[in-house]
Amino acid sequence: GSPARRDDFSGSEDVDMDTEDDVDIEGGHARPDTGDSDDGPVDEWGDDLMGDHKDRRHLASLPEIERERILAERQERRDVLNEQRELRLKLKAGVRVSGGDQRATRARRGNREAQGGSLSELRRERERRRHGEDQWSSSLSDEDAGSGHEAEPAASLEEINMVCLPRNQLEQWLFRPFLADAIKGCFVRIVTRIKDSTGEYNQYKMMEVMRIVRGEGRSQPPYHLNKTLTDKYLKLRFGPAEKDYSMETISNSPIKPEEYSSWEAAFRAAGIRTRVTAEHVQKKLHDLERARNYQLSDAEITEMISERNRLRRMEAGAGADAALERTQLLQLHTVARQNGDWAELKKLEARLAELD
């Protein structure tokens, strides 16, 4: 039979990301493709983490804490990209990661935290209200509202968006050992393609990350998340329903108020009492900070390289299978045309179009 298609597992058919999804979560500008080059800047921001005049005007119009949050997130992403570049260069040169490299990385992150300013103070204040938990946090449970959580303050949408994972961040962490633990209980904004009597349009939803599922052995094919091949899917929850989604359907933009309202309404409609508490958000902020400060061991770097190579071999094998199938289809196409079998010809051409 024909191979499985990604659309079968991404929550909708023919997902078509519109231009909104390519808008940066931080400043409302499309991110240029910086590519995989190890030369030149790693992002589009200047030394002060700001972009063009439009971006500067936008930042200047924001409250100070929101502006500091955006600049801190940009710095965090820049640090990740710089570390990835350093790792690539070291691996190409066959250099092992040394203790001195790790101390330098910690020092850079210390500078980044200092730049976070009032955002860091907000996080420390929330941290003081926690109870010393040092484990990865679990996902939001349906029993939250029935176990004393009514007295806890609900998180604001601004706070929820601080643990909303953009597609680009997930790509950076795809092969990291902490991925499954760090993202469980966070939120994402996904896009699906809707068809109804009014036409076709994109629909965005807020969803909670339940866990990672692997495509291997589940008939779910590998796919490219931006430029990175993966066979990992996310089990996401919207109301009582859980479904597997490919990460390519995840937006880089923040959750909007109407999407948050729809998420809450889905639980109410199912008679489930749950909400996102400020404590839950703080726990996930703690998890994400641990993830950003995670120090890879030599064994973990070796495992990451092995995983990438496994996927490359899988992709190469799939390419060879597709080439063979295309050759066979072209032969059948010639026979069908000679015999005037137009129905068969139409089927063959549709399959050839899928392979292209």
Side-chain angles (χ1 to χ4, degrees):
S2 61
R5 293 165 56 97
R6 289 197 300 272
D7 294 342
D8 299 334
F9 309 102
S10 59
S12 68
E13 295 181 356
D14 301 325
V15 173
D16 180 21
M17 309 285 268
D18 65 10
T19 54
E20 178 185 2
D21 190 58
D22 292 328
V23 173
D24 179 18
I25 185 174
E26 301 150 341
H29 303 288
R31 285 182 174 271
D33 183 6
T34 57
D36 294 326
S37 172
D38 290 326
D39 298 322
V42 295
D43 55 37
E44 69 271 38
W45 312 119
D47 293 339
D48 58 358
L49 299 171
M50 297 185 186
D52 56 19
H53 294 301
K54 185 177 180 181
D55 180 57
R56 292 173 183 274
R57 286 196 300 271
H58 170 72
L59 291 172
S61 69
L62 298 175
E64 182 179 1
I65 191 168
E66 175 67 5
R67 182 167 59 253
E68 290 294 328
R69 180 186 70 82
I70 289 174
L71 294 177
E73 288 180 354
R74 291 183 182 181
Q75 184 63 60
E76 288 171 355
R77 293 183 185 181
R78 176 174 289 180
D79 288 345
V80 169
L81 292 174
N82 280 325
E83 289 162 18
Q84 287 179 331
R85 173 182 288 181
E86 291 174 10
L87 178 60
R88 285 197 303 269
L89 292 173
K90 290 179 184 297
L91 292 177
K92 287 178 183 178
V95 177
R96 293 168 64 87
V97 178
S98 67
D101 293 329
Q102 295 179 351
R103 286 192 295 273
T105 298
R106 286 193 293 269
R108 285 195 300 270
R109 286 179 175 138
N111 292 336
R112 180 197 68 204
E113 186 67 21
Q115 186 168 355
S118 53
L119 173 65
S120 299
E121 185 58 36
L122 173 64
R123 289 180 177 175
R124 284 192 291 271
E125 181 180 347
R126 290 232 184 254
E127 186 73 17
R128 286 193 289 270
R129 284 189 278 166
R130 298 180 65 252
H131 304 290
E133 180 179 349
D134 193 39
Q135 302 297 319
W136 295 105
S137 302
S138 60
S139 63
L140 190 67
S141 68
D142 295 343
E143 291 77 21
D144 280 351
S147 58
H149 286 271
E150 294 96 333
E152 295 180 4
S156 67
L157 179 56
E158 180 181 8
E159 289 175 316
I160 291 172
N161 271 318
M162 294 174 72
V163 293
C164 176
L165 300 170
R167 184 176 67 249
N168 290 348
Q169 178 69 84
L170 289 168
E171 182 190 20
Q172 292 167 5
W173 286 354
L174 262 181
F175 300 102
R176 301 297 175 101
F178 55 73
L179 177 66
D181 290 325
I183 70 174
K184 183 179 180 182
C186 288
F187 300 92
V188 293
R189 181 180 188 243
I190 66 128
V191 58
T192 58
R193 192 68 174 169
I194 301 299
K195 299 178 183 178
D196 60 21
S197 59
T198 64
E200 296 185 29
Y201 56 92
N202 287 345
Q203 182 181 70
Y204 290 86
K205 288 184 178 180
M206 166 185 170
M207 292 198 177
E208 181 191 0
V209 180
M210 305 305 291
R211 60 185 175 274
I212 291 177
V213 294
R214 301 296 291 267
E216 188 175 1
R218 298 168 56 91
S219 301
Q220 292 160 306
Y223 61 96
H224 281 90
L225 175 58
N226 294 336
K227 293 185 176 181
T228 306
L229 186 68
T230 183
D231 61 352
K232 294 176 181 176
Y233 289 71
L234 296 186
K235 179 77 71 177
L236 302 179
R237 181 167 74 161
F238 182 80
E242 295 184 8
K243 191 171 184 178
D244 296 356
Y245 287 83
S246 64
M247 286 179 273
E248 62 186 344
T249 65
I250 294 174
S251 171
N252 280 324
S253 302
I255 297 163
K256 293 185 176 180
E258 60 269 24
E259 295 155 5
Y260 179 40
S261 297
S262 296
W263 187 83
E264 291 184 311
F267 282 99
R268 287 197 301 269
I272 300 173
R273 299 177 62 201
T274 191
R275 62 176 175 170
V276 185
T277 65
E279 181 185 16
H280 178 81
V281 168
Q282 180 56 44
K283 288 177 179 178
K284 293 315 303 178
L285 280 173
H286 175 71
D287 288 347
L288 295 177
E289 190 64 21
R290 286 185 61 194
R292 293 184 180 105
N293 292 332
Y294 191 91
Q295 300 296 317
L296 291 168
S297 68
D298 290 345
E300 287 169 335
I301 293 174
T302 300
E303 178 61 28
M304 289 167 59
I305 295 172
S306 175
E307 177 70 2
R308 286 179 182 272
N309 289 337
R310 179 185 69 82
L311 289 166
R312 290 191 183 108
R313 288 193 298 270
M314 186 184 299
E315 184 177 38
D321 291 343
L324 177 61
E325 182 182 1
R326 180 175 178 80
T327 299
Q328 295 171 341
L329 289 172
L330 288 172
Q331 292 172 347
L332 293 173
H333 186 277
T334 299
V335 173
R337 189 170 185 176
Q338 290 172 347
N339 295 337
D341 189 346
W342 307 118
E344 180 67 13
L345 196 65
K346 186 176 181 180
K347 292 179 182 178
L348 293 169
E349 288 176 346
R351 179 58 189 149
L352 285 166
E354 289 180 0
L355 291 177
D356 289 339

